[in-house]
Amino acid sequence: MAGARKRVSSLLINVTVLLTCLLTGFESQSSIERPSNEKPKYIIQLDKTRLLVSEIVRDLDEPWEVTWGGDEHLWFTEKKGTIMRMNPSTGHVKKVLSIPEVYSEGYTPGLLGLVLHPDFNNVPYVYIHYNYIDSTVSVSDRIDPAGNPNYIRSKIVRYKYSFEQDTLIDPEPVLPEIPGFRAHNGSRLAISADNKLLFTIGDVADSRNAQTARALPGKVLRINLDGSIPDDNPIPGSYFYSMGHRNPQGLVAANGKIYLSEHGLDADDEINLIRPGGNYGWPFVEGYCDKENEMAFCDSVAVSEPIYTWSPTIATAGLDYYDHLAIPEWKNHLMLTTLKGRALWLFQLDDTGEKVVNEKIYLQKRFGRFRDLCVSSSGDVYLITSNTDWHIGVHGWMYDSVPDKGNDRVLKISLLQEREEKKYTHLATITEDREPIKMFVQDSRRERPKTPGGIAYRNNCASCHLPTGKGIPGYSPALLETETVADKKKLIETTLFGATSEIAVKGKKYNGVMPGFSAKFTNKELVGILNYVRSTLNDFTDSITVAEIEEIRKSIISDRH
């Protein structure tokens, strides 16, 4: 009898606890006692909700991806080859994999995209994408006849997570031997509602890749989770899903749709709604089909235009979608991190999910460059910064507020409970930023050029080659008295379609990426820029003509079709 009373009593207690939870609402993880490693930084005041911004991990080395797992843990990567797993309740961080094979020299190669299987607790697969050196290419063959590196590849690999060992084991190739380069490797991975692996990859600095379905780069690819090709892809027997992409660095499958963020050249950063078989224009179209030199291509190809653009570029990066009740003001918003823009953007979508009706900006210039973000199951938002990569070292003049201590970090935005507020009265309260920051123009104190060609040069070329044309040592070559500038045909071709091979200028070697401007400028505009370089920055008297540019443009385009 006593045992029965004990069981009844226990049952009543459990029912009481359950009713309490139902009446008060299950408290999110952010209301639990916060781990001791969390360092509160700011309070964000929304219309009705207050959020706490905390730093939870610091001193990372070029982080790239952050994602929330079905194991209720935070996962994040470092570009040089490490994968971390963090317990959000304790703040404990464990390195679960280090990949010595990862190649990370240059601008964006390395360990990049990562995604967990949607049923992770039962199927503990982790999909990753990274660059490596193809050891089957001999040293003598590592530069092709055009002078381009021919040994950088990338691959998608599936690992199994061992809960017992707390590490990743049993790697299996999903998509090996993808062409790679020192730049424009993308990439992001996502899994769609129909359990297909979505993979974005940039054009690997060769814009020709983006407009041929035969090449993997410059695409969104769609893959079965075992690595096979889905039967319902746009092209039978092909991974191809969409094309015409330059350098996509954000991807999310949500709201029944697929959204992608993409780096423009120096204008028209984009958010795109990805449709099967869609062509997004690069390199012949940037942003919308609204320029004279884009019209011919848009008349012959059904180009999918973006749902949002930025000019000048702010370097769009990670994407996610907020669909949680914890922060009601953010529910059903697309979320974006920006690098040069140094902010978190939110986009309210219309009922179709295909049009942006409002945007909001937060945390601008407070933590430096933001590379990626994710949303936890409790509605917390995690962000990673990108202040240790190559960009600040080369373009330091562009940044007036980047943290110089603590390197890169993981930040958390969480609901601030009323009972917690007294603990954080010392923190600054911030609100939505009303306008995006203006991108800096290098050496703005110098007298600006007056001609259209000079103005266009300053707005589009001076960030790398400097207003005087003297270049940046070790990064971008000078444009003063060089063989390329002297050779009109070579100068036109390089400006139209870019260059990726190693070059020597005045005895110094450069192996960076010169982007092509074929979609950016009309022939008349290019004449102004190139003659400014040749006659104002240099002393050449034989002017380039519109006819010369038109002839080269037509010959290159006809070859590519």
Side-chain angles (χ1 to χ4, degrees), residues 265-266 460-461 495-498 514-521 526:
L265 183 54
D266 57 2
N460 299 277
C461 313
T495 307
L496 280 173
F497 299 105
M514 163 69 183
F517 289 87
S518 60
K520 175 73 176 177
F521 297 114
L526 281 173

Side-chain angles (χ1 to χ4, degrees), residues 153-171:
R153 305 282 186 269
S154 71
K155 65 174 82 171
I156 299 174
V157 181
R158 183 176 72 183
Y159 281 81
K160 182 179 180 181
Y161 176 70
S162 169
F163 286 92
E164 295 78 14
Q165 302 173 45
D166 194 13
T167 189
L168 292 172
I169 60 174
D170 301 336

Side-chain angles (χ1 to χ4, degrees), residues 51-279:
L51 307 176
L52 184 66
V53 182
S54 303
E55 174 190 300
I56 58 173
V57 181
R58 64 165 37 206
D59 296 320
L60 299 178
D61 188 5
E62 294 189 73
W64 183 271
E65 179 88 40
V66 62
T67 191
W68 185 260
D71 57 348
E72 296 297 311
H73 280 61
L74 188 73
W75 294 69
F76 53 94
T77 67
E78 292 175 318
K79 199 161 72 75
K80 293 177 182 177
T82 57
I83 300 177
M84 311 287 193
R85 178 175 182 259
M86 191 195 84
N87 184 329
S89 298
T90 65
H92 175 70
V93 177
K94 169 75 183 299
K95 182 189 296 184
V96 294
L97 186 66
S98 180
I99 310 174
E101 184 186 23
V102 167
Y103 173 81
S104 62
E105 296 179 10
Y107 305 118
T108 59
L111 172 55
L112 303 174
L114 177 148
V115 69
L116 277 63
H117 192 283
D119 187 19
F120 186 77
N121 288 325
N122 295 310
V123 188
Y125 286 141
V126 176
Y127 297 82
I128 62 174
H129 170 244
Y130 64 86
N131 291 94
Y132 67 98
I133 292 176
D134 186 348
S135 59
T136 66
V137 179
S138 65
V139 174
S140 59
D141 292 333
R142 288 191 172 185
I143 302 297
D144 69 17
N148 298 311
N150 190 36
Y151 58 91
I152 302 172
R153 305 282 186 269
S154 71
K155 65 174 82 171
I156 299 174
V157 181
R158 183 176 72 183
Y159 281 81
K160 182 179 180 181
Y161 176 70
S162 169
F163 286 92
E164 295 78 14
Q165 302 173 45
D166 194 13
T167 189
L168 292 172
I169 60 174
D170 301 336
E172 297 179 80
V174 172
L175 186 58
E177 299 184 11
I178 304 166
F181 193 63
R182 295 188 304 270
H184 292 197
N185 293 280
S187 69
R188 296 291 174 191
L189 294 169
I191 295 179
S192 59
D194 59 352
N195 277 349
K196 304 302 180 187
L197 181 65
L198 303 170
F199 169 55
T200 67
I201 181 169
D203 63 10
V204 295
D206 185 345
S207 60
R208 292 171 296 183
N209 288 321
Q211 284 300 325
T212 172
R214 295 186 300 272
L216 295 179
K219 309 290 185 302
V220 174
L221 306 180
R222 184 170 178 261
I223 310 165
N224 287 325
L225 295 183
D226 62 2
S228 60
I229 298 173
D231 293 335
D232 56 346
N233 272 3
I235 299 177
S238 172
Y239 293 112
F240 164 79
Y241 197 68
S242 68
M243 66 193 301
H245 301 293
R246 178 178 180 267
N247 190 18
Q249 291 197 8
L251 178 71
V252 62
N255 196 30
K257 296 180 171 55
I258 301 169
Y259 302 94
L260 175 145
S261 65
E262 185 166 352
H263 284 203
L265 183 54
D266 57 2
D268 291 304
D269 273 351
E270 300 175 357
I271 293 180
N272 287 301
L273 178 63
I274 299 301
R275 306 178 191 277
N279 189 324

Side-chain angles (χ1 to χ4, degrees), residues 265-267 283-284 286 291-294 452-453 455-461 495-496 516-530 549 553:
L265 183 54
D266 57 2
F284 301 115
E286 290 184 290
K291 303 182 183 70
E292 177 186 338
N293 50 302
E294 297 172 337
I455 294 170
Y457 170 85
R458 183 169 190 106
N459 290 340
N460 299 277
C461 313
T495 307
L496 280 173
F517 289 87
S518 60
K520 175 73 176 177
F521 297 114
T522 65
N523 296 336
K524 182 178 180 181
E525 289 169 332
L526 281 173
V527 161
I529 294 172
L530 298 184
I549 296 177
R553 189 193 289 271

Side-chain angles (χ1 to χ4, degrees), residues 435-508:
E435 293 184 0
I437 59 174
K438 294 181 180 179
M439 295 293 103
F440 282 87
V441 178
Q442 187 174 15
D443 198 9
S444 59
R445 293 169 297 179
R446 295 177 59 86
E447 182 180 355
R448 293 181 178 274
K450 302 297 192 298
T451 65
I455 294 170
Y457 170 85
R458 183 169 190 106
N459 290 340
N460 299 277
C461 313
S463 62
C464 289
H465 297 288
L466 302 191
T468 59
K470 66 180 182 181
I472 300 174
Y475 172 67
S476 58
L479 299 177
L480 307 177
E481 301 176 355
T482 69
E483 293 181 6
T484 297
V485 174
D487 184 336
K488 292 199 291 183
K489 183 174 184 293
K490 188 174 183 180
L491 180 62
I492 293 169
E493 289 180 347
T494 302
T495 307
L496 280 173
F497 299 105
T500 58
S501 59
E502 182 176 87
I503 61 173
V505 178
K506 295 186 176 181
K508 296 182 180 180

Side-chain angles (χ1 to χ4, degrees), residues 34-40 52 54-56 88 382 412 414 424:
R34 300 179 185 274
S36 59
N37 66 321
E38 286 195 16
K39 297 178 175 59
L52 184 66
S54 303
E55 174 190 300
I56 58 173
Y382 290 89
K412 180 174 121 177
S414 54
Y424 303 117

